[in-house]
PDB file of all heavy atoms in Angstrom:
ATOM      1  N   LYS A  10       7.147 -17.815  16.306  1.00 95.00           N
ATOM      2  CA  LYS A  10       7.301 -17.443  14.904  1.00 95.00           C
ATOM      3  C   LYS A  10       8.631 -17.957  14.388  1.00 95.00           C
ATOM      4  O   LYS A  10       9.693 -17.611  14.903  1.00 95.00           O
ATOM      5  CB  LYS A  10       7.235 -15.912  14.725  1.00 95.00           C
ATOM      6  CG  LYS A  10       7.304 -15.489  13.257  1.00 95.00           C
ATOM      7  CD  LYS A  10       6.139 -16.034  12.452  1.00 95.00           C
ATOM      8  CE  LYS A  10       6.397 -16.035  10.967  1.00 95.00           C
ATOM      9  NZ  LYS A  10       5.308 -16.632  10.181  1.00 95.00           N
ATOM     10  N   PHE A  12      11.027 -18.325  10.960  1.00 91.00           N
ATOM     11  CA  PHE A  12      11.300 -17.941   9.575  1.00 91.00           C
ATOM     12  C   PHE A  12      12.281 -18.985   9.040  1.00 91.00           C
ATOM     13  O   PHE A  12      13.449 -18.977   9.418  1.00 91.00           O
ATOM     14  CB  PHE A  12      11.919 -16.541   9.494  1.00 91.00           C
ATOM     15  CG  PHE A  12      10.985 -15.450   9.962  1.00 91.00           C
ATOM     16  CD1 PHE A  12      11.257 -14.714  11.101  1.00 91.00           C
ATOM     17  CD2 PHE A  12       9.826 -15.151   9.260  1.00 91.00           C
ATOM     18  CE1 PHE A  12      10.408 -13.710  11.535  1.00 91.00           C
ATOM     19  CE2 PHE A  12       8.965 -14.144   9.685  1.00 91.00           C
ATOM     20  CZ  PHE A  12       9.259 -13.424  10.822  1.00 91.00           C
ATOM     21  N   GLY A  50      -1.284  -8.044  13.641  1.00 93.00           N
ATOM     22  CA  GLY A  50      -1.883  -8.808  12.543  1.00 93.00           C
ATOM     23  C   GLY A  50      -1.109  -8.694  11.247  1.00 93.00           C
ATOM     24  O   GLY A  50      -1.605  -9.023  10.176  1.00 93.00           O
ATOM     25  N   ILE A  52       2.002 -10.114  10.860  1.00 93.00           N
ATOM     26  CA  ILE A  52       2.774 -11.350  10.713  1.00 93.00           C
ATOM     27  C   ILE A  52       1.936 -12.495  11.277  1.00 93.00           C
ATOM     28  O   ILE A  52       1.365 -12.365  12.370  1.00 93.00           O
ATOM     29  CB  ILE A  52       4.122 -11.259  11.474  1.00 93.00           C
ATOM     30  CG1 ILE A  52       4.993 -10.123  10.895  1.00 93.00           C
ATOM     31  CG2 ILE A  52       4.872 -12.574  11.419  1.00 93.00           C
ATOM     32  CD1 ILE A  52       6.300  -9.886  11.647  1.00 93.00           C
ATOM     33  N   THR A  53       1.849 -13.558  10.496  1.00 94.00           N
ATOM     34  CA  THR A  53       1.077 -14.711  10.978  1.00 94.00           C
ATOM     35  C   THR A  53       1.959 -15.559  11.898  1.00 94.00           C
ATOM     36  O   THR A  53       3.036 -15.983  11.486  1.00 94.00           O
ATOM     37  CB  THR A  53       0.622 -15.587   9.783  1.00 94.00           C
ATOM     38  OG1 THR A  53       0.034 -14.723   8.808  1.00 94.00           O
ATOM     39  CG2 THR A  53      -0.368 -16.643  10.191  1.00 94.00           C
ATOM     40  N   ARG A  71     -10.015  -9.570  12.040  1.00 92.00           N
ATOM     41  CA  ARG A  71      -8.922  -8.606  11.891  1.00 92.00           C
ATOM     42  C   ARG A  71      -9.412  -7.160  11.763  1.00 92.00           C
ATOM     43  O   ARG A  71      -9.010  -6.295  12.549  1.00 92.00           O
ATOM     44  CB  ARG A  71      -8.099  -9.003  10.653  1.00 92.00           C
ATOM     45  CG  ARG A  71      -6.854  -8.198  10.447  1.00 92.00           C
ATOM     46  CD  ARG A  71      -6.173  -8.592   9.139  1.00 92.00           C
ATOM     47  NE  ARG A  71      -5.576  -7.414   8.545  1.00 92.00           N
ATOM     48  CZ  ARG A  71      -6.161  -6.631   7.666  1.00 92.00           C
ATOM     49  NH1 ARG A  71      -7.380  -6.906   7.245  1.00 92.00           N
ATOM     50  NH2 ARG A  71      -5.544  -5.577   7.182  1.00 92.00           N
ATOM     51  N   VAL A  72     -10.288  -6.906  10.808  1.00 92.00           N
ATOM     52  CA  VAL A  72     -10.713  -5.522  10.527  1.00 92.00           C
ATOM     53  C   VAL A  72     -11.430  -4.919  11.736  1.00 92.00           C
ATOM     54  O   VAL A  72     -11.163  -3.769  12.119  1.00 92.00           O
ATOM     55  CB  VAL A  72     -11.599  -5.479   9.266  1.00 92.00           C
ATOM     56  CG1 VAL A  72     -12.254  -4.124   9.089  1.00 92.00           C
ATOM     57  CG2 VAL A  72     -10.751  -5.797   8.040  1.00 92.00           C
ATOM     58  N   PHE A  80      -0.907   2.199  16.015  1.00 94.00           N
ATOM     59  CA  PHE A  80       0.533   1.941  16.148  1.00 94.00           C
ATOM     60  C   PHE A  80       1.326   3.158  15.715  1.00 94.00           C
ATOM     61  O   PHE A  80       0.948   3.854  14.766  1.00 94.00           O
ATOM     62  CB  PHE A  80       0.868   0.735  15.248  1.00 94.00           C
ATOM     63  CG  PHE A  80       2.331   0.448  15.100  1.00 94.00           C
ATOM     64  CD1 PHE A  80       3.102   0.066  16.185  1.00 94.00           C
ATOM     65  CD2 PHE A  80       2.949   0.516  13.852  1.00 94.00           C
ATOM     66  CE1 PHE A  80       4.455  -0.233  16.024  1.00 94.00           C
ATOM     67  CE2 PHE A  80       4.293   0.223  13.694  1.00 94.00           C
ATOM     68  CZ  PHE A  80       5.045  -0.155  14.785  1.00 94.00           C
ATOM     69  N   TYR A  84      10.097   4.412  12.643  1.00 85.00           N
ATOM     70  CA  TYR A  84      10.606   3.692  11.468  1.00 85.00           C
ATOM     71  C   TYR A  84       9.528   3.463  10.412  1.00 85.00           C
ATOM     72  O   TYR A  84       9.796   2.903   9.353  1.00 85.00           O
ATOM     73  CB  TYR A  84      11.218   2.355  11.904  1.00 85.00           C
ATOM     74  CG  TYR A  84      12.169   2.547  13.066  1.00 85.00           C
ATOM     75  CD1 TYR A  84      11.877   2.052  14.329  1.00 85.00           C
ATOM     76  CD2 TYR A  84      13.333   3.290  12.908  1.00 85.00           C
ATOM     77  CE1 TYR A  84      12.731   2.265  15.408  1.00 85.00           C
ATOM     78  CE2 TYR A  84      14.186   3.518  13.977  1.00 85.00           C
ATOM     79  CZ  TYR A  84      13.882   3.011  15.223  1.00 85.00           C
ATOM     80  OH  TYR A  84      14.721   3.248  16.285  1.00 85.00           O
ATOM     81  N   GLU A  86       6.696   5.552   8.259  1.00 86.00           N
ATOM     82  CA  GLU A  86       6.366   6.953   7.972  1.00 86.00           C
ATOM     83  C   GLU A  86       5.005   7.088   7.324  1.00 86.00           C
ATOM     84  O   GLU A  86       4.421   6.120   6.849  1.00 86.00           O
ATOM     85  CB  GLU A  86       7.439   7.549   7.069  1.00 86.00           C
ATOM     86  CG  GLU A  86       8.777   7.637   7.786  1.00 86.00           C
ATOM     87  CD  GLU A  86       9.844   8.319   6.948  1.00 86.00           C
ATOM     88  OE1 GLU A  86       9.499   9.098   6.046  1.00 86.00           O
ATOM     89  OE2 GLU A  86      11.020   8.053   7.223  1.00 86.00           O
ATOM     90  N   LYS A  90       4.642  12.986   0.562  1.00 90.00           N
ATOM     91  CA  LYS A  90       4.228  14.083  -0.323  1.00 90.00           C
ATOM     92  C   LYS A  90       2.887  14.689   0.080  1.00 90.00           C
ATOM     93  O   LYS A  90       2.447  15.663  -0.526  1.00 90.00           O
ATOM     94  CB  LYS A  90       4.140  13.603  -1.784  1.00 90.00           C
ATOM     95  CG  LYS A  90       5.390  12.934  -2.292  1.00 90.00           C
ATOM     96  CD  LYS A  90       6.470  13.932  -2.605  1.00 90.00           C
ATOM     97  CE  LYS A  90       7.739  13.243  -3.090  1.00 90.00           C
ATOM     98  NZ  LYS A  90       8.882  14.149  -3.112  1.00 90.00           N
ATOM     99  N   GLN A  95      -3.561  16.518   5.369  1.00 95.00           N
ATOM    100  CA  GLN A  95      -4.098  15.516   4.443  1.00 95.00           C
ATOM    101  C   GLN A  95      -3.883  14.109   5.000  1.00 95.00           C
ATOM    102  O   GLN A  95      -4.783  13.266   4.942  1.00 95.00           O
ATOM    103  CB  GLN A  95      -3.421  15.654   3.076  1.00 95.00           C
ATOM    104  CG  GLN A  95      -3.870  16.876   2.307  1.00 95.00           C
ATOM    105  CD  GLN A  95      -3.018  17.145   1.067  1.00 95.00           C
ATOM    106  OE1 GLN A  95      -1.903  16.654   0.944  1.00 95.00           O
ATOM    107  NE2 GLN A  95      -3.554  17.935   0.153  1.00 95.00           N
ATOM    108  N   GLU A  98      -6.285  13.447   7.783  1.00 96.00           N
ATOM    109  CA  GLU A  98      -7.646  13.289   7.244  1.00 96.00           C
ATOM    110  C   GLU A  98      -7.816  11.900   6.629  1.00 96.00           C
ATOM    111  O   GLU A  98      -8.811  11.214   6.891  1.00 96.00           O
ATOM    112  CB  GLU A  98      -7.924  14.373   6.194  1.00 96.00           C
ATOM    113  CG  GLU A  98      -9.366  14.340   5.714  1.00 96.00           C
ATOM    114  CD  GLU A  98      -9.574  15.012   4.372  1.00 96.00           C
ATOM    115  OE1 GLU A  98      -8.767  15.885   3.999  1.00 96.00           O
ATOM    116  OE2 GLU A  98     -10.559  14.646   3.698  1.00 96.00           O
ATOM    117  N   TYR A 100      -6.130   9.149   7.236  1.00 96.00           N
ATOM    118  CA  TYR A 100      -6.158   8.089   8.252  1.00 96.00           C
ATOM    119  C   TYR A 100      -7.413   8.151   9.119  1.00 96.00           C
ATOM    120  O   TYR A 100      -7.919   7.107   9.551  1.00 96.00           O
ATOM    121  CB  TYR A 100      -4.868   8.076   9.076  1.00 96.00           C
ATOM    122  CG  TYR A 100      -3.836   7.262   8.338  1.00 96.00           C
ATOM    123  CD1 TYR A 100      -2.926   7.873   7.488  1.00 96.00           C
ATOM    124  CD2 TYR A 100      -3.851   5.876   8.408  1.00 96.00           C
ATOM    125  CE1 TYR A 100      -2.021   7.113   6.750  1.00 96.00           C
ATOM    126  CE2 TYR A 100      -2.961   5.110   7.678  1.00 96.00           C
ATOM    127  CZ  TYR A 100      -2.042   5.732   6.853  1.00 96.00           C
ATOM    128  OH  TYR A 100      -1.181   4.976   6.120  1.00 96.00           O
ATOM    129  N   ARG A 102     -10.310   8.921   8.014  1.00 95.00           N
ATOM    130  CA  ARG A 102     -11.318   8.242   7.189  1.00 95.00           C
ATOM    131  C   ARG A 102     -11.107   6.725   7.190  1.00 95.00           C
ATOM    132  O   ARG A 102     -12.065   5.958   7.266  1.00 95.00           O
ATOM    133  CB  ARG A 102     -11.260   8.761   5.747  1.00 95.00           C
ATOM    134  CG  ARG A 102     -11.826  10.146   5.582  1.00 95.00           C
ATOM    135  CD  ARG A 102     -11.751  10.599   4.141  1.00 95.00           C
ATOM    136  NE  ARG A 102     -12.092  12.000   4.009  1.00 95.00           N
ATOM    137  CZ  ARG A 102     -13.327  12.468   3.962  1.00 95.00           C
ATOM    138  NH1 ARG A 102     -14.340  11.641   3.983  1.00 95.00           N
ATOM    139  NH2 ARG A 102     -13.550  13.771   3.856  1.00 95.00           N
ATOM    140  N   LEU A 103      -9.835   6.316   7.079  1.00 95.00           N
ATOM    141  CA  LEU A 103      -9.554   4.870   7.055  1.00 95.00           C
ATOM    142  C   LEU A 103      -9.983   4.194   8.351  1.00 95.00           C
ATOM    143  O   LEU A 103     -10.380   3.034   8.357  1.00 95.00           O
ATOM    144  CB  LEU A 103      -8.060   4.615   6.825  1.00 95.00           C
ATOM    145  CG  LEU A 103      -7.543   4.829   5.399  1.00 95.00           C
ATOM    146  CD1 LEU A 103      -6.052   4.581   5.324  1.00 95.00           C
ATOM    147  CD2 LEU A 103      -8.256   3.923   4.411  1.00 95.00           C
ATOM    148  N   TYR A 104      -9.894   4.929   9.452  1.00 95.00           N
ATOM    149  CA  TYR A 104     -10.277   4.358  10.755  1.00 95.00           C
ATOM    150  C   TYR A 104     -11.753   4.620  11.077  1.00 95.00           C
ATOM    151  O   TYR A 104     -12.200   4.316  12.172  1.00 95.00           O
ATOM    152  CB  TYR A 104      -9.367   4.898  11.860  1.00 95.00           C
ATOM    153  CG  TYR A 104      -8.057   4.146  11.939  1.00 95.00           C
ATOM    154  CD1 TYR A 104      -6.952   4.550  11.205  1.00 95.00           C
ATOM    155  CD2 TYR A 104      -7.934   3.003  12.729  1.00 95.00           C
ATOM    156  CE1 TYR A 104      -5.752   3.854  11.262  1.00 95.00           C
ATOM    157  CE2 TYR A 104      -6.743   2.295  12.794  1.00 95.00           C
ATOM    158  CZ  TYR A 104      -5.656   2.716  12.064  1.00 95.00           C
ATOM    159  OH  TYR A 104      -4.479   2.018  12.114  1.00 95.00           O
ATOM    160  N   LYS A 145      -1.419  10.503  14.374  1.00 95.00           N
ATOM    161  CA  LYS A 145      -2.065   9.482  13.523  1.00 95.00           C
ATOM    162  C   LYS A 145      -2.463   8.264  14.361  1.00 95.00           C
ATOM    163  O   LYS A 145      -3.533   7.688  14.191  1.00 95.00           O
ATOM    164  CB  LYS A 145      -1.115   9.089  12.385  1.00 95.00           C
ATOM    165  CG  LYS A 145      -1.567   7.928  11.521  1.00 95.00           C
ATOM    166  CD  LYS A 145      -0.786   6.676  11.883  1.00 95.00           C
ATOM    167  CE  LYS A 145      -1.539   5.425  11.632  1.00 95.00           C
ATOM    168  NZ  LYS A 145      -0.919   4.243  12.192  1.00 95.00           N
TER     169      LYS A 145
ATOM    170  N   LYS B   5     -13.941   3.983   3.272  1.00 93.00           N
ATOM    171  CA  LYS B   5     -12.510   3.636   3.349  1.00 93.00           C
ATOM    172  C   LYS B   5     -11.892   3.581   1.957  1.00 93.00           C
ATOM    173  O   LYS B   5     -10.740   3.975   1.764  1.00 93.00           O
ATOM    174  CB  LYS B   5     -12.328   2.309   4.083  1.00 93.00           C
ATOM    175  CG  LYS B   5     -12.646   2.417   5.554  1.00 93.00           C
ATOM    176  CD  LYS B   5     -12.538   1.103   6.269  1.00 93.00           C
ATOM    177  CE  LYS B   5     -13.026   1.255   7.702  1.00 93.00           C
ATOM    178  NZ  LYS B   5     -13.014  -0.004   8.438  1.00 93.00           N
ATOM    179  N   ALA B   8     -11.226   7.006   1.063  1.00 94.00           N
ATOM    180  CA  ALA B   8     -10.049   7.524   1.775  1.00 94.00           C
ATOM    181  C   ALA B   8      -8.755   7.117   1.073  1.00 94.00           C
ATOM    182  O   ALA B   8      -7.844   7.931   0.907  1.00 94.00           O
ATOM    183  CB  ALA B   8     -10.046   7.008   3.214  1.00 94.00           C
ATOM    184  N   LEU B  11      -8.495   9.076  -2.043  1.00 93.00           N
ATOM    185  CA  LEU B  11      -8.207  10.475  -1.717  1.00 93.00           C
ATOM    186  C   LEU B  11      -6.708  10.692  -1.515  1.00 93.00           C
ATOM    187  O   LEU B  11      -6.145  11.705  -1.932  1.00 93.00           O
ATOM    188  CB  LEU B  11      -8.960  10.851  -0.434  1.00 93.00           C
ATOM    189  CG  LEU B  11      -9.037  12.332  -0.076  1.00 93.00           C
ATOM    190  CD1 LEU B  11      -9.840  13.094  -1.123  1.00 93.00           C
ATOM    191  CD2 LEU B  11      -9.660  12.528   1.301  1.00 93.00           C
ATOM    192  N   ARG B  12      -6.064   9.714  -0.908  1.00 91.00           N
ATOM    193  CA  ARG B  12      -4.623   9.792  -0.668  1.00 91.00           C
ATOM    194  C   ARG B  12      -3.886  10.003  -2.004  1.00 91.00           C
ATOM    195  O   ARG B  12      -2.965  10.778  -2.109  1.00 91.00           O
ATOM    196  CB  ARG B  12      -4.179   8.496   0.025  1.00 91.00           C
ATOM    197  CG  ARG B  12      -2.698   8.374   0.285  1.00 91.00           C
ATOM    198  CD  ARG B  12      -2.116   7.270  -0.576  1.00 91.00           C
ATOM    199  NE  ARG B  12      -0.764   6.911  -0.205  1.00 91.00           N
ATOM    200  CZ  ARG B  12       0.317   7.564  -0.608  1.00 91.00           C
ATOM    201  NH1 ARG B  12       0.202   8.641  -1.336  1.00 91.00           N
ATOM    202  NH2 ARG B  12       1.519   7.140  -0.284  1.00 91.00           N
ATOM    203  N   TYR B  15      -4.803  13.481  -3.630  1.00 92.00           N
ATOM    204  CA  TYR B  15      -3.999  14.528  -2.983  1.00 92.00           C
ATOM    205  C   TYR B  15      -2.577  14.540  -3.540  1.00 92.00           C
ATOM    206  O   TYR B  15      -1.988  15.590  -3.763  1.00 92.00           O
ATOM    207  CB  TYR B  15      -3.933  14.303  -1.472  1.00 92.00           C
ATOM    208  CG  TYR B  15      -5.141  14.787  -0.696  1.00 92.00           C
ATOM    209  CD1 TYR B  15      -5.531  14.156   0.481  1.00 92.00           C
ATOM    210  CD2 TYR B  15      -5.879  15.883  -1.128  1.00 92.00           C
ATOM    211  CE1 TYR B  15      -6.632  14.605   1.205  1.00 92.00           C
ATOM    212  CE2 TYR B  15      -6.983  16.324  -0.402  1.00 92.00           C
ATOM    213  CZ  TYR B  15      -7.350  15.676   0.759  1.00 92.00           C
ATOM    214  OH  TYR B  15      -8.434  16.125   1.470  1.00 92.00           O
ATOM    215  N   LEU B  16      -2.061  13.344  -3.735  1.00 89.00           N
ATOM    216  CA  LEU B  16      -0.683  13.212  -4.222  1.00 89.00           C
ATOM    217  C   LEU B  16      -0.542  13.828  -5.619  1.00 89.00           C
ATOM    218  O   LEU B  16       0.403  14.582  -5.886  1.00 89.00           O
ATOM    219  CB  LEU B  16      -0.310  11.719  -4.265  1.00 89.00           C
ATOM    220  CG  LEU B  16       1.125  11.382  -4.602  1.00 89.00           C
ATOM    221  CD1 LEU B  16       2.040  11.780  -3.456  1.00 89.00           C
ATOM    222  CD2 LEU B  16       1.274   9.894  -4.866  1.00 89.00           C
ATOM    223  N   TRP B  85       7.596   3.292  -1.356  1.00 84.00           N
ATOM    224  CA  TRP B  85       8.604   4.349  -1.346  1.00 84.00           C
ATOM    225  C   TRP B  85       8.447   5.260  -0.123  1.00 84.00           C
ATOM    226  O   TRP B  85       9.430   5.742   0.417  1.00 84.00           O
ATOM    227  CB  TRP B  85       8.517   5.192  -2.616  1.00 84.00           C
ATOM    228  CG  TRP B  85       8.935   4.463  -3.854  1.00 84.00           C
ATOM    229  CD1 TRP B  85       9.816   3.416  -3.933  1.00 84.00           C
ATOM    230  CD2 TRP B  85       8.483   4.704  -5.193  1.00 84.00           C
ATOM    231  NE1 TRP B  85       9.935   3.000  -5.236  1.00 84.00           N
ATOM    232  CE2 TRP B  85       9.135   3.775  -6.036  1.00 84.00           C
ATOM    233  CE3 TRP B  85       7.603   5.610  -5.774  1.00 84.00           C
ATOM    234  CZ2 TRP B  85       8.931   3.727  -7.407  1.00 84.00           C
ATOM    235  CZ3 TRP B  85       7.403   5.572  -7.145  1.00 84.00           C
ATOM    236  CH2 TRP B  85       8.055   4.639  -7.946  1.00 84.00           C
ATOM    237  N   ARG B  87       7.376   4.435   2.716  1.00 82.00           N
ATOM    238  CA  ARG B  87       7.456   3.608   3.939  1.00 82.00           C
ATOM    239  C   ARG B  87       6.147   3.632   4.728  1.00 82.00           C
ATOM    240  O   ARG B  87       6.131   3.681   5.951  1.00 82.00           O
ATOM    241  CB  ARG B  87       8.620   4.064   4.828  1.00 82.00           C
ATOM    242  CG  ARG B  87       9.970   3.971   4.159  1.00 82.00           C
ATOM    243  CD  ARG B  87      11.074   4.432   5.080  1.00 82.00           C
ATOM    244  NE  ARG B  87      11.216   3.526   6.207  1.00 82.00           N
ATOM    245  CZ  ARG B  87      12.014   2.458   6.211  1.00 82.00           C
ATOM    246  NH1 ARG B  87      12.749   2.194   5.171  1.00 82.00           N
ATOM    247  NH2 ARG B  87      12.086   1.691   7.263  1.00 82.00           N
ATOM    248  N   ASN B  88       5.046   3.619   3.975  1.00 85.00           N
ATOM    249  CA  ASN B  88       3.725   3.728   4.579  1.00 85.00           C
ATOM    250  C   ASN B  88       3.036   2.367   4.659  1.00 85.00           C
ATOM    251  O   ASN B  88       1.883   2.271   5.056  1.00 85.00           O
ATOM    252  CB  ASN B  88       2.895   4.703   3.725  1.00 85.00           C
ATOM    253  CG  ASN B  88       1.530   4.965   4.296  1.00 85.00           C
ATOM    254  OD1 ASN B  88       1.382   5.125   5.497  1.00 85.00           O
ATOM    255  ND2 ASN B  88       0.513   4.979   3.442  1.00 85.00           N
ATOM    256  N   ASN B  91       1.637   1.208   8.095  1.00 91.00           N
ATOM    257  CA  ASN B  91       0.450   1.987   8.468  1.00 91.00           C
ATOM    258  C   ASN B  91      -0.773   1.551   7.672  1.00 91.00           C
ATOM    259  O   ASN B  91      -1.877   1.473   8.201  1.00 91.00           O
ATOM    260  CB  ASN B  91       0.698   3.476   8.219  1.00 91.00           C
ATOM    261  CG  ASN B  91       1.457   4.121   9.359  1.00 91.00           C
ATOM    262  OD1 ASN B  91       1.313   3.717  10.509  1.00 91.00           O
ATOM    263  ND2 ASN B  91       2.258   5.115   9.053  1.00 91.00           N
ATOM    264  N   PHE B  93      -1.353  -1.408   6.183  1.00 91.00           N
ATOM    265  CA  PHE B  93      -1.834  -2.763   6.451  1.00 91.00           C
ATOM    266  C   PHE B  93      -2.266  -3.000   7.897  1.00 91.00           C
ATOM    267  O   PHE B  93      -2.805  -4.053   8.205  1.00 91.00           O
ATOM    268  CB  PHE B  93      -0.797  -3.801   6.010  1.00 91.00           C
ATOM    269  CG  PHE B  93      -0.820  -4.011   4.511  1.00 91.00           C
ATOM    270  CD1 PHE B  93       0.118  -3.411   3.696  1.00 91.00           C
ATOM    271  CD2 PHE B  93      -1.815  -4.771   3.919  1.00 91.00           C
ATOM    272  CE1 PHE B  93       0.088  -3.580   2.319  1.00 91.00           C
ATOM    273  CE2 PHE B  93      -1.864  -4.944   2.547  1.00 91.00           C
ATOM    274  CZ  PHE B  93      -0.906  -4.350   1.747  1.00 91.00           C
ATOM    275  N   ILE B  94      -2.018  -2.018   8.790  1.00 93.00           N
ATOM    276  CA  ILE B  94      -2.581  -2.191  10.142  1.00 93.00           C
ATOM    277  C   ILE B  94      -3.858  -1.366  10.297  1.00 93.00           C
ATOM    278  O   ILE B  94      -4.476  -1.364  11.347  1.00 93.00           O
ATOM    279  CB  ILE B  94      -1.586  -1.799  11.264  1.00 93.00           C
ATOM    280  CG1 ILE B  94      -1.170  -0.338  11.141  1.00 93.00           C
ATOM    281  CG2 ILE B  94      -0.400  -2.722  11.294  1.00 93.00           C
ATOM    282  CD1 ILE B  94      -0.731   0.268  12.440  1.00 93.00           C
ATOM    283  N   PRO B  96      -7.786  -0.637   9.592  1.00 95.00           N
ATOM    284  CA  PRO B  96      -8.878  -1.619   9.464  1.00 95.00           C
ATOM    285  C   PRO B  96      -9.497  -1.631   8.052  1.00 95.00           C
ATOM    286  O   PRO B  96     -10.631  -1.189   7.849  1.00 95.00           O
ATOM    287  CB  PRO B  96      -9.889  -1.149  10.512  1.00 95.00           C
ATOM    288  CG  PRO B  96      -9.618   0.303  10.699  1.00 95.00           C
ATOM    289  CD  PRO B  96      -8.183   0.536  10.389  1.00 95.00           C
ATOM    290  N   ILE B  97      -8.712  -2.098   7.114  1.00 93.00           N
ATOM    291  CA  ILE B  97      -9.185  -2.152   5.718  1.00 93.00           C
ATOM    292  C   ILE B  97      -9.075  -3.592   5.232  1.00 93.00           C
ATOM    293  O   ILE B  97      -8.108  -4.289   5.546  1.00 93.00           O
ATOM    294  CB  ILE B  97      -8.301  -1.319   4.755  1.00 93.00           C
ATOM    295  CG1 ILE B  97      -7.725  -0.106   5.440  1.00 93.00           C
ATOM    296  CG2 ILE B  97      -9.080  -0.895   3.516  1.00 93.00           C
ATOM    297  CD1 ILE B  97      -6.551   0.452   4.673  1.00 93.00           C
ATOM    298  N   LYS B 253       2.540 -12.230   4.944  1.00 91.00           N
ATOM    299  CA  LYS B 253       2.271 -12.243   6.390  1.00 91.00           C
ATOM    300  C   LYS B 253       3.032 -13.393   7.065  1.00 91.00           C
ATOM    301  O   LYS B 253       3.530 -13.251   8.162  1.00 91.00           O
ATOM    302  CB  LYS B 253       0.768 -12.389   6.654  1.00 91.00           C
ATOM    303  CG  LYS B 253       0.050 -11.041   6.601  1.00 91.00           C
ATOM    304  CD  LYS B 253      -1.442 -11.183   6.773  1.00 91.00           C
ATOM    305  CE  LYS B 253      -1.839 -11.595   8.159  1.00 91.00           C
ATOM    306  NZ  LYS B 253      -3.283 -11.645   8.370  1.00 91.00           N
ATOM    307  N   SER B 254       3.123 -14.492   6.371  1.00 92.00           N
ATOM    308  CA  SER B 254       3.863 -15.626   6.928  1.00 92.00           C
ATOM    309  C   SER B 254       5.351 -15.329   6.976  1.00 92.00           C
ATOM    310  O   SER B 254       6.035 -15.707   7.923  1.00 92.00           O
ATOM    311  CB  SER B 254       3.657 -16.877   6.062  1.00 92.00           C
ATOM    312  OG  SER B 254       2.391 -17.371   6.277  1.00 92.00           O
ATOM    313  N   ARG B 255       5.855 -14.672   5.922  1.00 89.00           N
ATOM    314  CA  ARG B 255       7.303 -14.402   5.878  1.00 89.00           C
ATOM    315  C   ARG B 255       7.683 -13.133   6.640  1.00 89.00           C
ATOM    316  O   ARG B 255       8.862 -12.834   6.807  1.00 89.00           O
ATOM    317  CB  ARG B 255       7.762 -14.274   4.425  1.00 89.00           C
ATOM    318  CG  ARG B 255       7.985 -15.602   3.731  1.00 89.00           C
ATOM    319  CD  ARG B 255       8.501 -15.382   2.339  1.00 89.00           C
ATOM    320  NE  ARG B 255       7.578 -14.563   1.581  1.00 89.00           N
ATOM    321  CZ  ARG B 255       6.494 -15.011   0.980  1.00 89.00           C
ATOM    322  NH1 ARG B 255       6.201 -16.290   1.033  1.00 89.00           N
ATOM    323  NH2 ARG B 255       5.679 -14.209   0.328  1.00 89.00           N
TER     324      ARG B 255
END
Side-chain angles (χ1 to χ4, degrees):
Chain A
K10 184 62 199 177
F12 295 114
I52 298 176
T53 311
R71 186 185 145 268
V72 170
F80 171 64
Y84 311 112
E86 294 184 24
K90 307 284 179 193
Q95 287 170 341
E98 186 201 336
Y100 275 94
R102 286 180 189 278
L103 285 178
Y104 278 90
K145 173 256 152 191
Chain B
K5 290 177 187 177
L11 192 65
R12 177 248 191 277
Y15 279 150
L16 186 70
W85 291 333
R87 300 180 67 90
N88 183 42
N91 278 328
F93 282 101
I94 60 155
I97 328 162
K253 276 176 69 176
S254 286
R255 279 183 302 278

